[in-house]
Amino acid sequence: MINRRDWLKLAGASSLAAVAPRGTFAAMRDATPHSASVHCELKRLMLRHTWTTVMSSSTYRDTVHVQYQRDGATGYGEGAPIVRYKEYPEQAKKAIDAISDRIAERDPWSYVKTLAAIRHGLGDHERAAMAAVDIALFDWLGKKMDMPLYRFFGLDPADAPVTDFSIGIDTPEITREKTREAKDFPILKVKVGLKTDEATIEAVRSVTKKPIRVDANEGWTDKEEAIRKINWLEKQGIVLVEQPMPAHMIEETKYVRSKVHLPIIADEACTQASMIPKLTEAYDGVNVKLDKAGGILEGHRWIEIARACNLKVMIGCMVSSSCSITAAAHLAPLVDFIDLDGDLLISNDPYIGVKVDHGKLILPTGPGLGLTLRQGASV
Ligand code: MG
């Protein structure tokens, strides 16, 4: 009979052993080499308000959903490909479909090795597709071990800071309406980066005095303009600025940072784990998103690398359903700032997962992601 040490070796799961409760190894022993099935489809998520940033304006988003079935359990995953990173929903689905048989044959318990092989098979540029598969696999692992993912990673949900609520670019009138709708959130994140920035902030400020984060989405291309705007924003009670200038303008951003007091967070500038140390020159922190990193395992690694570089960490998201948002929320106890509201921006979420009460995340306690299907929803 195979012993515990051999199983750990087979599963490549030495870190798992540290958090594995009773029953875990029985679950692993059950992992006979049965084949899994991998199903992938696109879902159209309808936005409550037209969502406008410097990059685009849309009334819906298509995200890619994966179901990983094996040994009587189903793991759910989601990824949101966006055009900024040259990723497209149809292309992401195609990439997953092309290797679904190979994913199914792999040992899920050797998840480090298996996920590395899947990343290689999808191609390193298909990060949202990778995130969908990675999340589905972790949901399945959590279900088989009968533990929520935050516990798998050794985290306490009570350590998570509050999340903000995002307000896209709009007319002053609609901005005021959106600000009123967000009354239960203690922090707002307002999209800026256009000529209308002052009018947008004044509209929000006419409704509330609460702290505001801003995200320029690379919208300011002149460093003096960026300095002027950030210094004006500081007087309006803004607490941090995300991606003020285009990602490639590291030197300019470094100069801007030397002339302002507000913390500067990298989002579009942070797309590779290897970039994170370099970002310390121009930024105070990084926005980690599972869709950029390619899932939970790599997102966790980005957070660890950023911490090692003394950077602040935000965990963010794309417009997504509760599937992807809940996956990110399981890592939220590790970060300084949470921006996980993508599911709150849509009107047809197929899942019920993490909930928010006055900005505080309430993680489901069920195994894996802890999702339940919304009544009437098809997944
Ligand atoms: Mg951003």
Side-chain angles (χ1 to χ4, degrees), residues 55 85 189 191 215-217 242-243 266-268 287 289 314 317 339:
M55 290 187 268
Y85 301 115
K189 177 159 149 180
K191 295 287 189 183
D215 185 357
N217 287 113
E242 194 175 312
Q243 202 61 56
D267 183 2
E268 286 84 353
N287 185 344
K289 296 177 178 172
M314 173 184 281
C317 63
D339 176 30

Side-chain angles (χ1 to χ4, degrees), residues 228-270:
R228 207 166 45 246
K229 291 219 178 188
I230 294 170
N231 285 331
W232 180 81
L233 287 164
E234 188 185 358
K235 293 192 193 105
Q236 310 307 310
I238 275 57
V239 293
L240 66 78
V241 179
E242 194 175 312
Q243 202 61 56
M245 304 197 75
H248 67 275
M249 290 188 169
I250 290 261
E251 283 306 314
E252 291 84 345
T253 307
K254 188 175 165 183
Y255 174 77
V256 169
R257 186 182 172 220
S258 73
K259 302 284 180 194
V260 302
H261 301 113
L262 292 179
I264 310 290
I265 306 294
D267 183 2
E268 286 84 353
C270 180

Side-chain angles (χ1 to χ4, degrees), residues 71-294:
D71 302 334
T74 303
Y76 295 90
E78 179 186 22
I82 65 165
V83 69
R84 169 62 180 80
Y85 301 115
K86 298 190 175 60
E87 293 183 47
Y88 306 91
E90 297 76 15
Q91 191 178 297
K93 178 177 169 0
K94 228 182 195 174
I96 294 168
D97 285 343
I99 63 162
S100 60
D101 288 349
R102 279 190 279 157
I103 297 171
E105 285 163 8
R106 289 254 166 201
D107 175 7
W109 295 105
S110 302
Y111 58 91
V112 172
K113 184 176 176 181
T114 290
L115 289 170
I118 294 170
R119 180 178 284 260
H120 181 73
L122 289 172
D124 192 45
H125 57 287
E126 291 288 355
R127 301 290 180 83
M130 183 65 216
V133 178
D134 165 291
I135 294 167
L137 197 67
F138 272 107
D139 187 30
W140 184 89
L141 287 167
K143 283 174 173 159
K144 292 305 279 182
M145 291 186 291
D146 196 24
M147 71 167 94
L149 286 178
Y150 64 78
R151 183 167 286 280
F152 179 89
F153 284 99
L155 304 175
D156 180 353
D159 293 337
V162 294
T163 183
D164 58 36
F165 182 79
S166 297
I167 296 184
I169 294 169
D170 230 309
T171 62
E173 194 185 349
I174 296 177
T175 300
R176 278 193 288 275
E177 186 189 321
K178 288 178 177 175
T179 307
R180 279 190 282 268
E181 282 176 20
K183 65 178 183 340
D184 287 340
F185 287 83
I187 305 173
L188 298 177
K189 177 159 149 180
V190 180
K191 295 287 189 183
V192 293
L194 296 177
K195 296 252 175 294
T196 52
D197 291 345
E198 283 85 353
T200 299
I201 296 299
E202 280 163 4
V204 176
R205 275 284 169 252
S206 72
V207 177
T208 180
K209 291 190 169 63
K210 64 181 73 166
I212 299 172
R213 301 166 181 168
V214 298
D215 185 357
N217 287 113
E218 310 178 275
W220 303 325
T221 50
D222 178 90
K223 59 188 179 184
E224 298 302 337
E225 179 200 17
I227 293 167
R228 207 166 45 246
K229 291 219 178 188
I230 294 170
N231 285 331
W232 180 81
L233 287 164
E234 188 185 358
K235 293 192 193 105
Q236 310 307 310
I238 275 57
V239 293
L240 66 78
V241 179
E242 194 175 312
Q243 202 61 56
M245 304 197 75
H248 67 275
M249 290 188 169
I250 290 261
E251 283 306 314
E252 291 84 345
T253 307
K254 188 175 165 183
Y255 174 77
V256 169
R257 186 182 172 220
S258 73
K259 302 284 180 194
V260 302
H261 301 113
L262 292 179
I264 310 290
I265 306 294
D267 183 2
E268 286 84 353
C270 180
T271 57
Q272 297 281 353
S274 58
M275 285 176 170
I276 294 173
K278 169 94 178 147
L279 294 174
T280 55
E281 292 174 15
Y283 295 90
D284 299 285
V286 292
N287 185 344
V288 174
K289 296 177 178 172
L290 301 190
D291 292 298
K292 290 193 300 178

